[in-house]
Every structure is written in structure tokens, then in C-alpha cells.
Amino acid sequence: MINLQHFLLLLQVASITSQGPCGGVLNACKKSTPAWQRCYEENITLCISGRSGTGPIEGVFDFFKTDVDTNTDFEHVTEAGYALYLPPEALRRSTRLRSLDGSTTMALTLFNSSLFMVDVGENETILGGKVLSVKVGKLAVRDLSQPVRISFTHANETGGRCVYYEVLDDANGTGRWSTEGCVVSRTNTTFVCSCSHLSFFAVLVNTEVSIDPANALTLSYISYIGCGLSVFFTTLTILMHLCLRKGRTDHSMAVHLNLTGALFFLHLFFLVSALWAGPGLGLGADGGGVACQALGLLLHYALLATFTWMAIESFHLYMLLVRVFNIYVAKYLLKLGLVGWGVPMVTVIACALNQTYGRFSLQRERNRGASTGTEAEVKADMCWIRRKDVSYITVTGYLGLVFLFGAVMLGVMVAKLRRMRTKSAAYQEHKRRLWRDCLTLLGMGCILGIPWGLAFVTYGPLSLPGLYLFTILNGLQGVFMFLWFLATTWQPCKDSSSEANDPSTQKMETSFNN
């Protein structure tokens, strides 16, 4: 009875579409059966493709229908720039009966992906929100020895996989995206899908930062080496301060040391987290459990503490240059410490109560080899925040505020420096000291968190160069802090009385180096 009802519905659709324009096929199929994709494939080559059939169709970006010669190959480019190549084998196998002129009917439809109510993979989306349907003749075309090729153009996507829509249940219309029978090759501007059958095709791309395996491996090595150096040099900085600095530490040096300590914990926990979650190193087969959650919490805490102390550096710079300590703040360092270490602690405790931490994949890219057809997965895992909304608010949003505050304070410092120098008579005789000011600004920009702003250019056309700059500069931040400590500990001797008497020089050294 169910099969009879299904047959009658298809018969009704066929009767409508065979007498009407192609624009009515989609609506008729959606009304008649949940598995409208199969209904569409069975009837789209039967419709009338006159003027009324090529007008705008809701949910369809482009529609093209024509008769093609079964003895030659066929090529077509859609309005969206997607290119289709059909080999003669696919055209010949689309029909049992050969027409007198050796032709068959081909229909090409570019759908809005919202018509396909099926979940995609984690952090994945359909390229351009478009799905390409290719139907030739009346018969299903599969197991081709010569593959069908579809070229999907893109702007700056580096990781994607070719999929087709597979209907699993006609009764409720459920389906899935499958890679079976399809391989992908990639160029600078296109994904080329080579498939052994005809269907509804699309490309699933990763919405996260996705790079090719070679660059991913290079960036991993840079991260590990940079973080290892930063752990060593931040430790050396703290030890040197304890050995060389006798007596009471001034406010500026205390703030610098707290930031150095936060950077030490950040790079240390990053290395441990990446090693623990990496199954290839055997330190945690599943990368989950209580240990990975604890590491994710500690890494999150160290990162937030680093951001907070960078913001405190900006605030302290404001106190030095603008207010010049004209106001007295009781227990100044204690209050800064409560903010620098306390605010991140409250944040991570709230996140931990919501079970936020665990194993997280930084990048996941699936590739099928064009020669072997085997699928390989490139991924980088670590113990981190698993929820996107928490990461956006507590990391991206917080970083944006810290970066903005630091950039403003760096601009204030540049204006202050310029004003102080131009008022100094010695400046006219000692322009060679300009390089010292540049180094001062470079060092201050580092401790104010300006390099972290490169995180906002790791998307779009500058994603790969931005990732390299971001990884190098922030991975070596502990080294930069060590060099800054050396510069503030050993001051060069003054060889000029005019330089020693330069009030701007005295003021700058008091502000920046103490």
C-alpha cells in the first residue's frame, strides 16, 4: 500500500512537470514527498525548458537544460563560475534507447544549500552556500570509469572535501553528505571534484583557520621551538632579577615581572597541553579526561593572565606618562596583583563549572589522494576550550579590548615622546638617538600586547602570512621580555654632557626603564 501511494505521488509529479515548465518541478516534488531530491532527479529532464522554465525559481541560483551529443564530451560553466565536465561514457549510460541524432537531455541546477536539511561536520560549512545538481537522461549514472569533473571556484579556502547528497530514507527524507566515489584536488582558486557518479554535489570547507599540511607542520615546529625558548628565557629573567636586584623592587619592574611570569605559564602549559592531547606522542591516547580538562583550564588561565597583565602595563604606562603619579594609590602593587591574577581565576572557575574544557581540534582537514583514493586527516589537537561561544567571549573579545587599550596607550606614548623631544634643545644636536626611541617603542609595543593583534589578520587573504607572523612574534615573546629586562638592567654609560642633561632623556628613562 505504501509503495502504491509513493508510485501515485511520483506519477502525479511526472504528469505535472511533463506538461509544465521546469520551474514547477522543485515545488511539486517538495509537496509530494519528503525525499524531494530523488523526485527532482526523476522528473527534471522531462520538463519544458522554454522561457517560462528559465525564470527565477525560489531556492535556485542557476538552471540550465539542453540536449547533448552522447558521442562527445560536454562542458559548461554556471553563472557562479562552477565548471562541469561530462565524459561520453556518462552521457551514453544515461539512457537505454539511443535517439536518431544520438542525443540525450542534461539538466544542471545550482541550489541554495538551505534546501538540504542535513547536518555537516564540526566547524564545516558548504562552500558558497551552493549545491550543484547534475542529471543526464532518465537512468542513474554510477560506477564510471571516466570521472565527472566539477570545478568549484573559491576566494581563499585552503581545506575542503567533495561530497554528494545521499538519500537514506524516502519516508522521512533523511540524508547525509558522503564522500564515497569522489576525490578532490585543489588549486589556488578552485576545488576540482572528480566523481564516479552523478548526484547533488557540494564542497564542505572548514570555517576555522585551515591550512595545508606542509604549512601546518612548519607552524607547529615554530610554535614548539618558540615556546620552548620563551619558557627558558622567562625563567632566566626571573632568576636574574632575584639574583641581581637587591632590596625593594620598583613598581614598573614588578609589573614587568608579573607579565613575565604569566608568559612563562602560558608557554609552559601550551607545550604540555599540546603534548598531552597529541596521540602520536603516547602521552594521552584519548586526550580527554580530568587531566586534559585541568590542562585546558590552566592554559586558559595563563592566557587570560597574560592579557590582563598587558592591560595593566598599559594602565601603568598611563600613570607614568599622563598622570606622572600625581595621585597616591594605597597598596598599588597589591591591587594590581589582585586584578592581574584574580580576574582570570574567577573567569576560568565559571567556565569550569560549565564543563568547558577538554580536547579541542585546532585544525581538521580531510584530503583524498587523487591517485590512491584514500582519505587522510590532518589535525592538531590540544587541551583547550571546547565551546565556541566561550572562546569568542573570553579570548577573542577580551583580546580585542586589551589590544585596543594597548594601541591607544602606545599612540599616547608616541605623542608624548615627540612632544618631549621637540621641546628639548639637545634633540636638535642628537638626532642620531632616533634609533633608541624606535627600540623603546618596539619594546613597549611588545609588552602592551600589540603583536597579539595579528590574531585578527589570520583570516582572509592574509591568513597564511598573518599566521606565520603571529606564531613567530608571540612564540618568542618570552625572549623579547628577556631582552627588555637586559636593556633596563644595564644602562649604557653617558658619553655626552648634553645627553645627560637632556630632560627628555631623563624623563623617558624614568618612565620606561624603572
Side-chain angles (χ1 to χ4, degrees), residues 108-127:
L108 193 69
T109 314
L110 195 60
F111 288 101
N112 190 320
S113 61
S114 61
L115 295 175
F116 297 79
M117 304 300 294
V118 59
D119 294 333
V120 296
E122 184 181 1
N123 300 329
E124 287 184 319
T125 185
I126 296 177
L127 177 66

Side-chain angles (χ1 to χ4, degrees), residues 140-428:
V141 177
R142 57 174 64 95
D143 299 327
L144 295 172
S145 59
Q146 296 177 308
V148 176
R149 292 199 304 270
I150 308 104
S151 299
F152 293 86
T153 58
H154 62 87
N156 193 46
E157 302 291 346
T158 56
R161 55 193 182 113
C162 294
V163 294
Y164 77 96
Y165 187 80
E166 179 183 10
V167 178
L168 300 177
D169 191 343
D170 290 340
N172 54 25
T174 58
R176 65 172 183 175
W177 293 110
S178 174
T179 59
E180 185 178 355
C182 291
V183 297
V184 59
S185 60
R186 182 176 56 211
T187 66
N188 293 332
T189 58
T190 58
F191 290 109
V192 180
C193 299
S194 300
C195 300
S196 60
H197 53 80
L198 298 181
S199 183
F200 297 83
F201 299 103
V203 174
L204 293 183
V205 294
N206 200 314
T207 56
E208 300 296 319
V209 179
S210 183
I211 56 177
D212 59 90
N215 283 308
L217 184 61
T218 302
L219 287 170
S220 297
Y221 286 140
I222 294 175
S223 299
Y224 298 147
I225 294 173
C227 288
L229 290 174
S230 290
V231 169
F232 173 78
F233 280 102
T234 50
T235 304
L236 187 61
T237 301
I238 296 174
L239 292 177
M240 288 181 63
H241 172 77
L242 295 177
C243 295
L244 299 177
R245 289 277 180 164
K246 304 298 182 180
R248 186 177 179 181
T249 301
D250 57 75
H251 289 174
S252 295
M253 183 55 67
V255 175
H256 296 338
L257 286 176
N258 277 279
L259 176 57
T260 303
L263 285 171
F264 167 79
F265 289 121
L266 173 62
H267 291 101
L268 177 64
F269 290 143
F270 173 81
L271 289 175
V272 176
S273 172
L275 291 173
W276 187 273
L281 298 178
L283 298 179
D286 58 354
V290 177
C292 191
Q293 293 175 15
L295 284 174
L297 183 149
L298 291 174
L299 179 59
H300 191 202
Y301 176 74
L303 181 63
L304 293 181
T306 300
F307 290 163
T308 305
W309 279 107
M310 287 177 177
I312 291 175
E313 288 275 11
S314 300
F315 171 77
H316 186 66
L317 178 63
Y318 168 79
M319 297 292 287
L320 287 173
L321 292 183
V322 181
R323 302 305 296 268
V324 201
F325 281 116
N326 288 332
I327 59 175
Y328 172 74
V329 180
K331 299 181 178 180
Y332 180 67
L333 289 179
L334 177 61
K335 293 178 179 178
L336 292 183
L338 290 175
V339 174
W341 300 107
V343 172
M345 182 176 296
V346 173
T347 304
V348 297
I349 290 176
C351 294
L353 294 177
N354 291 310
Q355 299 181 347
T356 302
Y357 304 107
R359 186 170 180 173
F360 175 78
S361 294
L362 292 175
Q363 174 181 323
R364 189 178 300 271
E365 179 178 303
R366 296 180 179 89
N367 287 318
R368 279 185 174 267
S371 59
T372 63
T374 59
E375 185 178 83
E377 186 178 74
V378 179
K379 59 182 180 180
D381 293 343
M382 64 183 300
C383 299
W384 183 234
I385 304 171
R386 293 184 298 180
R387 290 179 50 182
K388 281 186 177 182
D389 54 345
V390 175
S391 179
Y392 288 151
I393 295 173
T394 63
V395 178
T396 307
Y398 195 31
L399 172 60
L401 294 176
V402 171
F403 172 75
L404 181 61
F405 188 29
V408 171
M409 290 315 305
L410 187 63
V412 171
M413 188 182 69
V414 171
K416 191 82 172 180
L417 175 64
R418 182 178 179 84
R419 195 159 50 244
M420 291 163 56
R421 289 302 196 194
T422 53
K423 291 181 180 179
S424 171
Y427 173 70
Q428 303 300 329

Side-chain angles (χ1 to χ4, degrees), residues 6 10 13 25-44 58-60 109-118 131 133 165 167 169-174 177 200:
H6 182 65
L10 292 180
V13 172
V25 176
L26 178 60
N27 290 333
C29 286
K30 290 174 65 177
K31 292 178 181 179
S32 64
T33 173
W36 65 266
Q37 292 86 0
R38 284 184 176 174
C39 170
Y40 187 85
E41 286 184 319
E42 292 173 359
N43 293 279
I44 191 59
E58 183 178 359
V60 174
T109 314
L110 195 60
F111 288 101
N112 190 320
S113 61
S114 61
L115 295 175
F116 297 79
M117 304 300 294
V118 59
V131 178
S133 168
Y165 187 80
V167 178
D169 191 343
D170 290 340
N172 54 25
T174 58
W177 293 110
F200 297 83

Side-chain angles (χ1 to χ4, degrees), residues 417-418 421 427 430-442:
L417 175 64
R418 182 178 179 84
R421 289 302 196 194
Y427 173 70
H430 298 280
K431 290 184 178 180
R432 65 179 182 274
R433 289 204 309 267
L434 180 62
W435 68 271
R436 292 182 56 193
D437 295 339
C438 294
L439 290 178
T440 299
L441 294 177
L442 182 62

